[in-house]
């Protein structure tokens, strides 16, 4: 049994496809001798706003900063509460905490792992200012319901679109629903830079203007600082690389969708294994393919022993992190805990073959049929 190892994630195929173009553009930036806030950033911002079908995109240093600056630009701060999913990556919560507001977790739907609109109302108080839907795993949230609810309660919506580049719900792109959205171009995201990078997207010109100030010490004019800003700029090199890779993103997304279709097909009807749920009118981009089983640890070890690497997103929910111990939410969010204890992310990256998916599915079937 000396089969080759299937890595959880690989950039190999993607990076071979763009090698010459990326190297040429890196040389261009190197020779241009201008590395921060120049033409490459402006060009990428235009291209990304067109891609995301939203009026403005503002490049920033990373996804956490994108969310933080979006919240600050919308005036959310101390005394405010923001509704966040209980089962998201910790960055969503941290953005709220960093502007001085309080993250108020709302449990997700058990089937989709995404925000449950029917649970939002019960969490709204007189201090609630905003909702932060997270399009987890590249599956769009139920945005029509969430937007309608936000409208009727006068709440803002800031989407965490770090895993959702190019996903649609009811025909509309995620990252274009809310008053602002934050996204990440961390190397392993569907659109990844060669280091940290992120962007705020917004239909609102005033919000875009404020994020441009905030990312650059609160300043758009040399030596004039209108706000207590940060240093969180997307740099020219990353922007140039992202412009090249953005052109390929639709192709890579199509490959992810094909891989997900194969997984759905080959993993069908396995006892004790729950597959991802795609809701009606959703066009996911499959950042991750996540299954659930009560024997997660055993299955992960079995796959590892058979040369298949998997990961867990995320094993410890934010409310169980030491950083959030003071919120006293231990044991109050059972769905988040159950999902964290049972989820397993299977390999999914452009360049994977149908044979690899079949081998992974066969191995999972062997394990599950042997233990059920
Ligand atoms: C990756 C990620 C972030 C943070 O992005 P960084 O660029 O790593 O700061 C935020 N939210 C979610 C859901 C993510 O997956």
């Amino acid at each position: 049994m000396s089969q080759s190892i299937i890595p959880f994630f690989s950039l190999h195929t993607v990076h071979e496809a763009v090698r010459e173009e990326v190297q040429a553009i890196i040389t261009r930036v190197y020779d241009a001798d201008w590395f921060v806030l120049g033409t490459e950033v402006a060009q990428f911002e235009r291209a990304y706003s067109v891609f995301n079908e939203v009026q403005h995109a503002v490049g920033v240093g990373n996804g956490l900063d994108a969310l933080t600056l979006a919240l600050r630009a919308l005036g959310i701060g101390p005394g405010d509460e923001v509704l966040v999913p209980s089962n998201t990556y910790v960055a969503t919560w941290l953005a709220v905490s960093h502007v001085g507001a309080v993250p108020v977790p709302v449990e997700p739907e058990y089937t989709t792992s995404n925000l449950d609109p029917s649970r939002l109302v019960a969490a709204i108080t007189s201090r609630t200012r905003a909702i932060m839907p997270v399009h987890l795993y590249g599956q769009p949230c139920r945005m029509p319901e969430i937007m309608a609810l936000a409208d009727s309660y006068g709440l803002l919506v800031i989407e965490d679109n770090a895993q959702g580049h190019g996903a649609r719900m009811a025909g509309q792109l995620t990252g274009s629903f809310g008053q602002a959205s934050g996204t990440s171009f961390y190397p392993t995201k569907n659109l990844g830079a060669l280091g940290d990078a992120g962007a705020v997207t917004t239909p609102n010109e005033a919000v875009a203007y404020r994020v441009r100030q905030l990312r650059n010490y609160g300043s758009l004019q040399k030596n004039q600082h209108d706000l207590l800003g940060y240093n969180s700029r997307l740099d020219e090199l990353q922007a140039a690389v992202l412009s090249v890779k953005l052109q390929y993103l639709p192709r890579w997304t199509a490959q992810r969708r094909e891989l997900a279709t194969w997984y759905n097909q080959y993993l069908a009807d396995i006892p004790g294994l729950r597959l991802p749920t795609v809701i009606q009118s959703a066009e996911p981009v499959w950042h991750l393919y996540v299954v659930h089983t009560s024997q997660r640890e055993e299955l992960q070890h079995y796959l590892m022993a058979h040369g298949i690497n998997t990961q867990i997103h995320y094993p410890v929910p934010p409310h169980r992190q030491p950083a959030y111990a003071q919120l006293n939410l231990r044991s109050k969010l059972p769905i988040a805990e159950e999902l964290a204890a049972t989820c397993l992310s299977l390999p999914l990256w452009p360049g994977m073959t149908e044979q690899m998916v079949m081998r992974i599915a066969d191995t999972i079937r062997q394990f599950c049929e042997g233990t059920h």
Side-chain angles (χ1 to χ4, degrees), residues 62-64 89 91 134 160 162-163 184 189 314:
N62 56 66
L64 172 59
Y89 183 55
V134 181
D160 179 339
Q163 303 188 0
S184 164
K189 308 290 188 191
Y314 299 93

Side-chain angles (χ1 to χ4, degrees), residues 113 137 272-275 290-294 338-339 342-344:
S113 296
Y137 309 148
L273 190 77
R274 191 158 68 76
L275 303 187
V290 178
V291 298
H292 289 83
T293 166
S294 57
E338 154 113 29
L339 292 173
T342 58
C343 64
L344 185 67

